[in-house]
Amino acid sequence: MLDGIPLSANPWHHQGKGFSGASVTQLLQLFIYGLVLGSIYALGAIGVSLTFGILRFANFAHGDLMTLGAYFGLTFVGLGWPIGVSLIPAALATVLCAVGIDQLIYRRLRREAPVILLISSFGTALILRSLVQILWGPNNQVYRSGIQLPWRLGELRIKPDWVVILVGTALLVVALHLFLQRTRVGKAMRAMADNFELAKVTGIDTERIVLWTWAIGAALACAAGVFLGMDTRLHPTMGWRLLLPIFAAAILGGIGRPYGAIAGGVVIGLAEEFSTLVINPAYKTGVAFAILVLLLIFRPTGLLGSPGGGEV
Amino acid sequence: MKLVHPPRADHEVAVPAAERDPSPSRKLLWEAGILVLLVLALIFVAPTVLSGFRLNLLGRFLALSIVALGIDLIWGYTGMLSLGHGVFFALGGYALGMHLKLQLPEGQIPEFFSLYGVTELPWFWYPFYSFPFTAVAVVLIPALVAAALGYLVVRNRIRGVYFSILTQATTIIFFNFFNGQQRLINGTNGLTNFQTLFGLDVNSSEMRFAVYVTTVVAVVLAYLLCRWLTSGLFGRILVAIRDDEPRVRFSGYDPTGFKVLVFAVSAALAGIAGALFTLQTGIISPNAMAVPFSIEMVIWVAVGGRASLVGAVLGALLVNFAKSLLSENFPEIWLFFQGGLFLLVVLVLPDGLVGWVRTQGRQLWVTVQLWRRRLANTSPA
C-alpha cells in the first residue's frame, strides 16, 4: 500500500536519506526514539492483551484510560508534586475508575458476545474522553513548561525525560514479571489467559481475577499515559490516537501474552521510527496499521503464537 | 372505575392468531403500501413543510441511511462488524467529487493543483471526465476494494473482533494516504467548491431538489435490494453464518463467497451513499475516512435495531437529527451523548428501537388490549 507513494516528488521527504545513506548516529537516534515510543506502546499493550485474553474483550476504551491517567498525573503535578511521585496516586485513581467502570457496566455484559463488549467499550471511551475534555479543558497541556535541554553525546541527543520513561518502563515490567510469576493471583491470571474454562474448573475465583486484571491494566495504562504526556503533551485524544498501534502490539505479541505484548510494543515503536528512513514521516503512523493488517491476514495468532489456534 | 392489572397468565391467550400473524402476501401488500406512502410524503409533502435548510439535512441523512442499510446487511444479518465503512463511503464521494471538479473549460485543471505547482492532471483523473464511468466507479471502486480486502480476510477466517479491528486499521491507512496526497487529490482539504453537473448549477434550488428526489429513490432501491437479499435462501444463509459459521460450513455451504459478496454489496451501498452525500454537502474530505465517522455508522444501526432494515434507516435518521440538534446547541455534549447512546443500546436496548417495539412494544400493546377488554366488560355493571 505504501509502496505506491511517489517519494521523490514529495517536498517533505528527508533528502538523501535511505538505509544506505543514514549514518550510525542517525540510526542510533532513531533507535532511541523507537525505544521510547515502544515503551509507551508496551505498557498500553499489556493491559489490552490481558483484558483481551482473560475477558475475551477488545477494550477500545483502553487508550482513553491512558488519557485519564495522564490527566490525573497532571492534577497531582499541579499540586507541586514531582512527576515520579504523582504517578502513584494517579495510577490508584485510574485503577479505581477502571474497576468502577467494570462493576458498573461490563459486569452486566460478561456473557455477551465479544462484539457487544467492544461496542460498550466504545461508549465508555467516548464518555471518558468527553469527561477529560470537560474537566481539564480541550487544549494542549504540559507537565512542565519550558524547553528541556537534551544531553548531547557526540551528535546524539538524549532528553532526560526519555531516561525516566525507559527506566520507569523497565521497573514496571520487572514488577509485572514478579507479580505474574511469584504470586497466586498472577499465576491464576496467566492460567485464565491460557484457558478460561479450565481455569474456572480448577476453582479460581474468576471475578476476583477479573478485578486484578483491570487493576494491573489500568495502572500500566496510567503509566503509559503519563510517559506519553512527558514525551509530547497532554490532549484529550492523546490515548485514543494510540489505541490502534497498541492493539497492533498486543496482536503482534499474541493475545493474552503479556510478555508478547511488551515485545510487540517495542517492535511496533522501532518499526515506526525506522520506517522514516524509507517513507515520508507523515506516513509513520500508518506503519503500525500496515503491520496490523498484514499480521491479521497472514498470522492472526501473533508472531510468537502458534499457528492455527487462538480464534476469538 | 378501577384499573385492574391483568394476571400474567392471560398474556399467552390474549391475541387471536390472525391479528398476531397476518398471511405473508397480505403483509407484503401492507409493506408496499406503506413504502409508497412514505415515498410520496418525502417527495411531495416534506418540501412544503420543511425549510430549504432542513430539507437539505433530511436529504443528507437519507443518504446516510443507505450506508446504514449496508452496515445492517453485513453486521445485523451476517455478523461482521465493520468499523471501516467510512472508507467505502469516501471512495464513492471522491469518485463523484472528481467528476464534479472536472466540469471545466477545455484545457483547465482544478484550481487547487496550482497551489502545489501541479500543471498536468494526474493520470487517474482522466476517466472521471466521463459521467457513465464515474457512475460505475461510485459503485464498483468501493465494491472491488471491499471484495479484495474481504477475500483476504475471510479466506484467513478472521472473524469477530479481529475483523472489526482490521477494518478500523484499514480506515486509518486510507485516511493517512488521502490526507497526505496534496498533489494528487488536495490532501486534507478534500474536494469542494463544486460548480456544475450536466452543465447545470449544483447550487440552484431545482438541482438541489432533483438531488433530493434522487436520494429518496436511491434509499428505496437500496432498501428493496437489501429486502430481497435478506429474504429467501440467501438471507437465511447470511443469518446462519452470523449465528454459527462452522455449522454452515459443515452443512456443505462455503461461507467465503457469501461473506465476500455481502461485504462488497454493502461497500457499494456505502459508495452510493457517499456520492449522494457529497453532492448535498458540497465537500468530500479525508475526514469521512476518519475513525469516528465509521463508528457513528455502527451506532445508527445499533440504535435502530440490528437485523431490521427499517431499524437501520430509522436509526440513521434519528441519531443524525439528534446530532444536528445537539451539536447546533451544545457541541461539547455530543460526544458524551454519543457515548451514552452506545451504552444505552448495549445495556437497555440490545435489539435497538425496532427490537424493543417487537418485544416490549408488542407486550405493551397486548396488555393495553386486555385492559380495554376488561374495562369494556366491567364498566356497564
Side-chain angles (χ1 to χ4, degrees):
Chain A
M1 169 124 311
L2 294 166
D3 291 352
I5 303 160
L7 292 173
S8 52
N10 200 315
W12 290 281
H13 188 236
H14 289 205
Q15 259 141 33
K17 259 188 170 186
F19 267 113
S20 51
S23 70
V24 178
T25 339
Q26 260 179 329
L27 289 177
L28 217 58
Q29 189 75 55
L30 285 179
F31 180 74
I32 295 170
Y33 287 149
L35 219 52
V36 170
L37 188 61
S39 302
I40 294 167
Y41 286 165
L43 290 177
I46 293 167
V48 163
S49 191
L50 283 175
T51 37
F52 207 158
I54 289 175
L55 297 162
R56 302 288 176 272
F57 178 6
N59 183 14
F60 272 59
H62 201 76
D64 295 284
L65 210 56
M66 284 169 56
T67 313
L68 192 67
Y71 276 90
F72 278 138
L74 183 70
T75 300
F76 290 106
V77 167
L79 295 176
W81 300 14
I83 185 85
V85 180
S86 305
L87 186 56
I88 296 164
L92 283 176
T94 316
V95 167
L96 275 180
C97 286
V99 169
I101 292 166
D102 177 67
Q103 291 298 302
L104 205 64
I105 298 164
Y106 301 143
R107 203 162 72 108
R108 303 160 199 264
L109 302 170
R110 292 262 196 272
R111 301 256 157 257
E112 295 283 348
V115 167
I116 298 297
L117 282 164
L118 187 154
I119 290 173
S120 69
S121 73
F122 266 139
T124 313
L126 290 173
I127 288 179
L128 283 179
R129 205 176 316 150
S130 56
L131 274 180
V132 166
Q133 205 164 330
I134 290 165
L135 291 175
W136 283 283
N139 300 320
N140 282 328
Q141 297 188 56
V142 286
Y143 286 125
R144 181 176 43 203
S145 50
I147 297 169
Q148 200 184 17
L149 282 178
W151 298 328
R152 287 179 178 279
L153 289 172
E155 279 181 48
L156 218 57
R157 295 184 306 125
I158 298 174
K159 269 166 61 177
D161 276 350
W162 296 346
V163 179
V164 176
I165 293 172
L166 290 178
V167 171
T169 305
L171 288 177
L172 286 169
V173 165
V174 170
L176 177 77
H177 170 73
L178 291 177
F179 177 82
L180 287 176
Q181 298 295 332
R182 300 287 169 82
T183 64
R184 283 189 67 83
V185 175
K187 283 178 194 166
M189 228 160 160
R190 283 187 294 139
M192 272 178 72
D194 270 351
N195 190 328
F196 187 86
E197 294 303 323
L198 197 62
K200 224 173 166 180
V201 169
T202 53
I204 290 172
D205 179 359
T206 47
E207 275 302 309
R208 200 165 73 96
I209 302 302
V210 164
L211 290 185
W212 272 102
T213 308
W214 283 112
I216 301 231
L220 295 177
C222 173
V226 168
F227 290 163
L228 181 67
M230 286 166 72
D231 188 32
T232 55
R233 58 198 166 272
L234 291 99
H235 187 265
T237 59
M238 61 191 275
W240 167 249
R241 285 205 210 112
L242 251 62
L243 185 71
L244 278 182
I246 283 172
F247 265 104
I251 292 170
L252 185 66
I255 287 302
R257 298 162 203 264
Y259 300 107
I262 297 166
V266 174
V267 168
I268 299 272
L270 288 174
E272 281 194 13
E273 291 300 338
F274 277 113
S275 71
T276 57
L277 286 175
V278 277
I279 63 166
N280 182 341
Y283 298 116
K284 189 174 81 176
T285 47
V287 172
F289 311 125
I291 294 178
L292 179 60
V293 170
L294 292 177
L295 199 71
L296 280 175
I297 288 175
F298 296 109
R299 250 193 108 81
T301 53
L303 282 187
L304 308 175
S306 55
E311 253 187 29
V312 175
Chain B
M1 199 162 70
K2 206 174 85 182
L3 280 178
V4 188
H5 282 280
R8 283 196 170 272
D10 283 10
H11 287 196
E12 279 85 33
V13 283
V15 184
E19 251 173 83
R20 193 182 287 164
D21 200 14
S23 70
S25 60
R26 216 181 110 194
K27 223 172 147 182
L28 214 60
L29 221 61
W30 266 106
E31 209 184 317
I34 292 172
L35 197 64
V36 169
L37 275 179
L38 272 176
V39 170
L40 291 178
L42 281 173
I43 293 180
F44 294 106
V45 182
T48 60
V49 182
L50 298 170
S51 67
F53 172 69
R54 294 280 162 203
L55 191 70
N56 181 260
L57 276 187
L58 179 63
R60 293 180 194 187
F61 299 160
L62 283 169
L64 295 179
S65 73
I66 301 176
V67 200
L69 283 170
I71 299 252
D72 201 15
L73 202 57
I74 54 162
W75 182 36
Y77 288 90
T78 325
M80 304 156 79
L81 175 61
S82 164
L83 299 176
H85 260 51
V87 168
F88 308 126
F89 182 90
L91 286 174
Y94 266 102
L96 186 69
M98 284 162 76
H99 178 69
L100 291 169
K101 287 287 338 162
L102 289 174
Q103 306 297 311
L104 293 165
E106 192 77 28
Q108 283 187 26
I109 61 171
E111 75 289 351
F112 66 83
F113 281 121
S114 64
L115 294 175
Y116 315 109
V118 178
T119 49
E120 185 79 4
L121 197 64
W123 58 269
F124 65 90
W125 278 71
Y126 282 100
F128 289 95
Y129 273 116
S130 139
F131 182 76
F133 176 85
T134 305
V136 173
V138 161
V139 180
L140 221 53
I141 290 179
L144 288 178
V145 170
L149 183 70
Y151 177 71
L152 282 172
V153 167
V154 172
R155 195 198 54 181
N156 288 286
R157 302 204 183 165
I158 296 172
R159 290 187 311 189
V161 174
Y162 284 104
F163 177 78
S164 306
I165 295 173
L166 192 138
T167 48
Q168 178 148 84
T170 313
T171 65
I172 295 184
I173 293 173
F174 271 85
F175 176 82
N176 273 347
F177 182 77
F178 276 73
N179 209 28
Q181 291 299 328
Q182 280 92 348
R183 299 166 62 86
L184 297 179
I185 31 156
N186 206 17
T188 183
N189 301 321
L191 305 178
T192 184
N193 204 5
F194 305 130
Q195 303 298 337
T196 58
L197 178 63
F198 306 127
L200 301 167
D201 181 7
V202 285
N203 297 314
S204 66
S205 57
E206 293 81 16
M207 189 64 175
R208 279 175 179 274
F209 185 65
V211 172
Y212 171 75
V213 172
T214 314
T215 308
V216 172
V217 172
V219 174
V220 171
L221 290 179
Y223 174 80
L224 291 177
L225 174 72
C226 293
R227 184 81 178 68
W228 176 65
L229 280 177
T230 53
S231 56
L233 181 67
F234 190 80
R236 280 203 293 276
I237 289 174
L238 295 185
V239 172
I241 290 171
R242 177 190 73 192
D243 292 341
D244 195 341
E245 191 177 330
R247 200 183 282 185
V248 173
R249 201 171 273 123
F250 296 147
S251 323
Y253 290 99
D254 183 6
T256 310
F258 291 100
K259 287 174 89 171
V260 172
L261 180 66
V262 83
F263 191 45
V265 168
S266 108
L269 288 174
I272 295 168
L276 289 168
F277 191 74
T278 302
L279 209 49
Q280 292 177 75
T281 52
I283 181 167
I284 180 74
S285 77
N287 272 338
M289 298 187 186
V291 173
F293 189 49
S294 296
I295 294 172
E296 273 179 38
M297 295 173 180
V298 172
I299 193 74
W300 305 335
V301 178
V303 167
R306 274 176 292 159
S308 155
L309 297 173
V310 176
V313 175
L314 216 60
L317 296 180
L318 283 177
V319 174
N320 278 301
F321 266 114
K323 181 184 178 177
S324 75
L325 280 182
L326 273 176
S327 50
E328 274 166 28
N329 299 316
F330 333 89
E332 64 286 350
I333 298 291
W334 165 242
L335 206 63
F336 199 81
F337 177 77
Q338 200 188 8
L341 214 52
F342 268 106
L343 292 180
L344 182 83
V345 160
V346 169
L347 292 170
V348 185
L349 292 176
D351 297 314
L353 289 173
V354 169
W356 186 85
V357 170
R358 271 187 197 154
T359 53
Q360 246 77 4
R362 173 172 283 185
Q363 196 69 251
L364 203 69
W365 193 77
V366 169
T367 316
V368 169
Q369 291 297 311
L370 269 173
W371 281 356
R372 277 177 46 188
R373 238 169 258 178
R374 274 177 186 247
L375 284 175
N377 290 342
T378 49
S379 53

